[in-house]
Amino acid sequence: MAQVDKKVGLLRKSSSNKKPLKEKVVLMYDEIFTKEDPTKTNPRFWDELFLMKVNLEYLEAKLESLDGEELMKIKDNINSLFQHCIQALKAEHQIRVVNSLQTLCALIRGVHQKNKPTSGFDIINMLMGFDKAELRMKNLMESLDILLCGEGSESLKSLCLKLLLCLVTVTDNISQNTILEYVMINSIFEAILQILSHPPSRREHGYDAVVLLALLVNYRKYESVNPYIVKLSIVDDEGTLNGMGLVIARALFEYNTQYRDKEEENQTGFFSALTSMVGSMFIADADEKISVQTNEAILLALYEAVHLNRNFITVLAQSHPEMGLVTVPTTPLPTTPTTPLGTTPPSSDVISPVELPLDADVQTSNLLITFLKYSSIVMQDTKDEHRLNSGKLCLIILTCIAEDQYANAFLHDDNMNFRVNLHRMPMRHRKKAADKNIPCRPLVCAVLDLMVEFIVTHMMKEFPMDLYVRCIQIIHKLLCYQKKCRVRLHYTWRELWTAMINLLKFLMSYETVLLAKHNIFTLALMVVNLFNMFITYGDTFLPTPSSYDELYYEIIRMHQIFDNLYSMVLRLSTNAGQWKEPASKVTHALVNVRAIINHFNPKIESYAAVNHISQLSEEQVLEVVRSNYDTLTLKLQDGLDQYERYSEQHKEAAFFKELARSISINVRRNLAFSTLSQEILLKEFSTIS
């Protein structure tokens, strides 16, 4: 022990004396990179190495400087370094453990850079040797599990998670990372859950733990049985699930806050920036939006939780006060790195580290509301690839929610009313709604508002067809629940009807441009069938009889658009061409809409003529509608309240594979292993005995 103290004392002194000579740890690295066994000249080589402050930059640079053939020549020494790193994880002195963790990170990343198809060596063989790989990885994972679950230093837990994230993300495509087979066999799932269920650990490491879990779940998820998928799907501990939900909510909340602050900053500096603007204001504005980076990693974690675990649905509605950023005096923690990890993680120094109690005077919120606000921001600008992917994933998550019976129950619950301030894209023809004017309503109203907002704001030549289809599907699934359970939702349905009619008008106006890229008839059919849903079953879920009257009024008022649509699809369905069949489906779907128009229009004209009125008011038209329902004949259409359930593997596999790849690259890019200050370590580990 005296010898360790003496060496630690020497390290303290040496850290303050900067000499032009190579530091001792660098000289020891150089010995490893020779063909000779370093213990031949110094039997205590490995003991001494892990007492010294790691020089990550030198170690990684040294590995990078060697080609594959040169690296193979020192394979035995690399194997020994890897083995002794794992042994040092069980050391009594935590400085050894920290140094071994950082060395492992550098070693794994450095060797993996050489693992090219032409390099002629296998990564597992290079690090561990084929014959020892299973044992080495078992020991490594066991040690990491013990460190993560123990009562030890937060720095060690942080480094353990960084090492695991390093291990997972060394390849762009995580499914090609053969080392992860050992992470599947030697699961650290329970350790991740323990971090999420324990408030102090969750505050320090929750973000890294959630991102790690999301990535592990995506390892070869379609090719083999992934134990992390199986285990995540059956978690039923309320505290653990709530902990995961809180980590996700905090990350999304911080993004929302950063965006709001950026927006306010832009509005404040708008006039001063006018002189420097070149080109369109809208382009400049779009550039500003992109500066707040989206967080696909945390969104993927939310998706996996919602998609795999039905128990997590309850977490979406778990009330908590609207989170606020507060200034909290913090003592610098010896964590590594100080640089945030992942895409845009929450910074622990600005979010209150205490679990906030519910307060009757505070506007309560929940994960779903925070997610809806996040979605309303990222779904605005779909021209940027990251935002497009985020917007698509938001809609996929909402699709899963809209299919879930329990989720629908709380979405439509009249006793759970919230004021949800969604972000609305600035548009010249409408005023910005004041926050205080937003009513408290069931959460499904906010979901519908989000769908309507997207429909209204994305009618452009670079048409996001896939996102529109998903929007309409979500609305349809919500209506199916309302019809089935006879939920009479007090919602401004007219806004939805108007948005859908304008969408049909847009599809016709840009028919030639859009048909060159998309089958617009698929979307048109879905929109028309939504109207058919309202026409056929509206009396079971619209809030009042007058709402049903208003539906007919809107169809009659906008009859020209439906007439034009019918002419377009009739033209294409009677011509032999690629659009004949999809167009004919729309033709048949329009039968009831056209029946309403053809039935009521002559009666309205007759009413106007008899009463000598050139232009009827809305109330007069409604009076004609109410008086002539009895003579209207509609055709019963089958399957309007049926839909195909969401299936990831069959339709979305390519999307999630590419998304996991993007996240892996982003996490690796932001993963920092800055060496810890030896002084801070000594202070934190002052209990070394």
Side-chain angles (χ1 to χ4, degrees):
M1 188 59 240
Q3 191 175 5
V4 171
D5 288 338
K6 185 178 179 182
K7 286 177 181 175
V8 169
L10 288 170
L11 285 173
R12 275 177 169 164
K13 289 179 183 177
S14 65
S15 65
S16 61
N17 299 327
K18 295 184 178 178
K19 297 179 181 179
L21 298 173
K22 281 187 176 181
E23 55 184 322
K24 186 173 180 182
V25 72
V26 169
L27 294 172
M28 296 184 81
Y29 290 156
D30 288 343
E31 288 188 59
I32 295 172
F33 286 97
T34 65
K35 297 177 188 177
E36 298 298 322
D37 180 354
T39 58
K40 286 182 178 179
T41 55
N42 180 4
R44 297 188 55 79
F45 180 87
W46 299 112
D47 288 337
E48 292 175 7
L49 178 67
F50 295 112
L51 275 176
M52 296 187 183
K53 179 180 174 182
V54 179
N55 189 325
L56 282 169
E57 293 77 10
Y58 186 84
L59 185 53
E60 286 201 50
K62 192 74 175 176
L63 287 164
E64 192 175 342
S65 68
L66 302 177
D67 61 30
E69 189 176 329
E70 290 172 322
L71 205 56
M72 282 300 294
K73 290 177 182 177
I74 58 165
K75 172 182 168 295
D76 290 344
N77 283 357
I78 297 292
N79 285 179
S80 291
L81 177 57
F82 193 85
Q83 175 191 352
H84 284 92
C85 282
I86 294 172
Q87 289 175 355
L89 292 179
K90 296 181 179 179
E92 180 183 349
H93 307 299
Q94 295 195 5
I95 288 177
R96 291 183 186 275
V97 180
V98 168
N99 288 336
S100 67
L101 285 167
Q102 292 181 322
T103 304
L104 278 168
C105 291
L107 188 57
I108 291 167
R109 292 216 295 197
V111 172
H112 237 293
Q113 289 173 358
K114 302 296 171 189
N115 191 29
K116 305 292 188 294
T118 56
S119 61
F121 72 86
D122 184 274
I123 180 70
I124 294 174
N125 188 37
M126 190 68 227
L127 286 172
M128 299 167 262
F130 288 127
D131 54 336
K132 301 285 184 12
E134 194 170 331
L135 177 62
R136 296 277 183 270
M137 285 304 297
K138 181 175 182 292
N139 292 337
L140 173 61
M141 297 306 292
E142 283 178 354
S143 294
L144 293 177
D145 189 74
I146 290 168
L147 290 169
L148 287 171
C149 296
E151 297 294 325
S153 150
E154 296 302 329
S155 291
L156 288 185
K157 292 183 181 181
S158 176
L159 273 175
C160 287
L161 288 167
K162 299 292 187 268
L163 173 58
L164 286 163
L165 283 164
C166 171
L167 205 60
V168 172
T169 62
V170 283
T171 57
D172 293 353
N173 182 350
I174 59 174
S175 293
Q176 292 177 352
N177 185 352
T178 50
I179 293 181
L180 287 190
E181 281 299 323
Y182 300 105
V183 183
M184 295 294 120
I185 296 166
N186 305 285
S187 174
I188 42 108
F189 183 81
E190 286 70 23
I192 294 173
L193 291 197
Q194 184 168 318
I195 289 170
L196 296 176
S197 61
H198 188 52
S201 292
R202 180 170 68 239
R203 285 192 292 270
E204 292 293 331
H205 316 297
Y207 184 87
D208 286 4
V210 163
V211 172
L212 175 62
L213 181 58
L215 287 168
L216 288 172
V217 163
N218 279 273
Y219 173 72
R220 302 188 68 187
K221 66 194 305 188
Y222 311 117
E223 301 156 39
S224 59
V225 177
N226 181 323
Y228 291 86
I229 292 177
V230 176
K231 291 180 178 182
L232 179 58
S233 67
I234 59 175
V235 174
D236 59 1
D237 179 70
E238 187 178 347
T240 302
L241 293 172
N242 284 341
M244 186 176 185
L246 188 59
V247 171
I248 295 169
R250 283 182 180 276
L252 296 180
F253 175 79
E254 179 156 322
Y255 175 90
N256 296 347
T257 305
Q258 287 175 354
Y259 187 90
R260 185 190 64 205
D261 293 345
K262 187 75 176 176
E263 189 178 43
E264 289 174 359
E265 179 187 317
N266 288 350
Q267 289 171 354
T268 305
F270 178 76
F271 292 105
S272 63
L274 274 176
T275 53
S276 62
M277 278 190 181
V278 178
S280 168
M281 279 195 302
F282 295 103
I283 294 171
D285 188 45
D287 290 340
E288 290 295 336
K289 289 174 188 172
I290 296 170
S291 67
V292 183
Q293 193 180 8
T294 52
N295 196 333
E296 286 94 350
I298 212 72
L299 208 56
L300 179 63
L302 175 59
Y303 164 76
E304 297 295 358
V306 168
H307 179 234
L308 294 174
N309 191 308
R310 288 211 63 220
N311 298 314
F312 190 81
I313 293 292
T314 62
V315 175
L316 295 173
Q318 189 71 39
S319 291
H320 58 72
E322 185 68 74
M323 294 177 191
L325 294 186
V326 294
T327 304
V328 181
T330 55
T331 305
L333 289 171
T335 53
T336 283
T338 52
T339 307
L341 157 77
T343 44
T344 48
S347 47
S348 59
D349 59 333
V350 292
I351 292 184
S352 171
V354 294
E355 303 288 352
L356 299 172
L358 286 175
D359 185 334
D361 297 325
V362 178
Q363 161 69 30
T364 55
S365 183
N366 54 43
L367 173 54
L368 182 59
I369 292 173
T370 307
F371 166 65
L372 290 173
K373 290 180 179 180
Y374 177 90
S375 301
S376 70
I377 295 170
V378 300
M379 284 167 58
Q380 283 183 91
D381 179 19
T382 56
K383 295 187 182 76
D384 170 62
E385 183 185 357
H386 289 291
R387 283 176 175 270
L388 180 65
N389 287 337
S390 282
K392 180 173 179 176
L393 189 49
C394 287
L395 290 172
I396 290 175
I397 292 169
L398 284 170
T399 299
C400 294
I401 291 171
E403 289 184 3
D404 187 88
Q405 187 78 2
Y406 178 79
N408 268 304
F410 74 70
L411 281 175
H412 292 85
D413 190 343
D414 268 334
N415 298 313
M416 290 178 63
N417 293 322
F418 292 89
R419 184 177 287 112
V420 184
N421 182 26
L422 297 176
H423 191 93
R424 286 161 62 86
M425 190 183 289
M427 296 181 79
R428 292 178 182 176
H429 64 273
R430 68 180 183 186
K431 294 180 180 178
K432 185 177 180 181
D435 294 359
K436 62 184 179 182
N437 295 333
I438 299 169
C440 279
R441 302 172 298 171
L443 284 172
V444 69
C445 296
V447 178
L448 290 168
D449 284 347
L450 182 62
M451 299 301 100
V452 170
E453 177 68 11
F454 182 85
I455 292 170
V456 169
T457 56
H458 288 76
M459 297 180 209
M460 50 196 178
K461 289 184 180 179
E462 289 299 319
F463 190 65
M465 177 74 169
D466 178 61
L467 301 191
Y468 266 95
V469 168
R470 293 176 194 277
C471 267
I472 300 300
Q473 286 174 335
I474 290 166
I475 296 168
H476 179 232
K477 288 169 183 180
L478 294 173
L479 291 181
C480 288
Y481 175 84
Q482 292 168 23
K483 180 255 177 184
K484 176 184 174 184
C485 298
R486 294 184 173 266
V487 177
R488 295 192 180 276
L489 183 68
H490 287 272
Y491 181 70
T492 49
W493 291 110
R494 184 175 284 193
E495 289 184 7
L496 172 61
W497 299 331
T498 302
M500 293 196 302
I501 291 170
N502 286 332
L503 174 57
L504 292 175
K505 181 180 179 181
F506 172 81
L507 294 178
M508 288 183 288
S509 300
Y510 292 94
E511 173 194 346
T512 307
V513 175
L514 294 174
L515 276 177
K517 298 179 180 179
H518 310 290
N519 176 3
I520 60 173
F521 303 107
T522 301
L523 182 58
L525 179 64
M526 293 170 69
V527 172
V528 171
N529 277 337
L530 271 189
F531 277 105
N532 285 330
M533 184 94 174
F534 281 104
I535 293 166
T536 308
Y537 302 116
D539 59 328
T540 66
F541 62 82
L542 286 172
T544 60
S546 62
S547 301
Y548 195 73
D549 301 339
E550 288 170 6
L551 167 68
Y552 278 60
Y553 174 80
E554 286 301 315
I555 292 173
I556 295 163
R557 184 174 72 88
M558 305 299 285
H559 71 89
Q560 194 63 54
I561 291 172
F562 290 107
D563 291 343
N564 292 344
L565 176 63
Y566 182 74
S567 299
M568 182 183 86
V569 294
L570 187 64
R571 166 171 49 86
L572 289 165
S573 63
T574 52
N575 294 334
Q578 68 177 116
W579 306 119
K580 179 180 175 66
E581 187 179 345
S584 64
K585 289 180 180 178
V586 181
T587 308
H588 295 132
L590 281 166
V591 60
N592 281 343
V593 172
R594 297 189 70 246
I596 290 168
I597 293 168
N598 293 335
H599 176 73
F600 286 105
N601 265 355
K603 291 179 169 48
I604 290 168
E605 290 168 7
S606 173
Y607 179 92
V610 169
N611 292 280
H612 306 289
I613 303 170
S614 58
Q615 190 168 355
L616 272 63
S617 66
E618 180 177 337
E619 190 50 48
Q620 288 169 327
V621 173
L622 288 171
E623 184 184 333
V624 175
V625 169
R626 293 187 193 105
S627 305
N628 290 278
Y629 274 134
D630 293 345
T631 53
L632 173 65
T633 303
L634 296 175
K635 182 180 179 182
L636 185 63
Q637 293 175 307
D638 295 328
L640 293 175
D641 58 345
Q642 305 295 318
Y643 59 81
E644 183 182 356
R645 291 188 67 84
Y646 170 76
S647 172
E648 177 189 321
Q649 184 168 354
H650 296 107
K651 294 192 174 180
E652 310 295 348
F655 170 72
F656 281 102
K657 182 179 178 181
E658 193 54 42
L659 184 68
R661 180 188 184 89
S662 171
I663 292 169
S664 176
I665 293 169
N666 215 326
V667 169
R668 183 173 70 242
R669 185 184 300 133
N670 290 287
L671 200 56
F673 298 103
S674 350
T675 49
L676 298 176
S677 157
Q678 203 76 16
E679 287 76 15
I680 292 176
L681 278 175
L682 288 167
K683 184 178 178 182
E684 184 182 358
F685 304 145
S686 59
T687 55
I688 292 178
S689 55

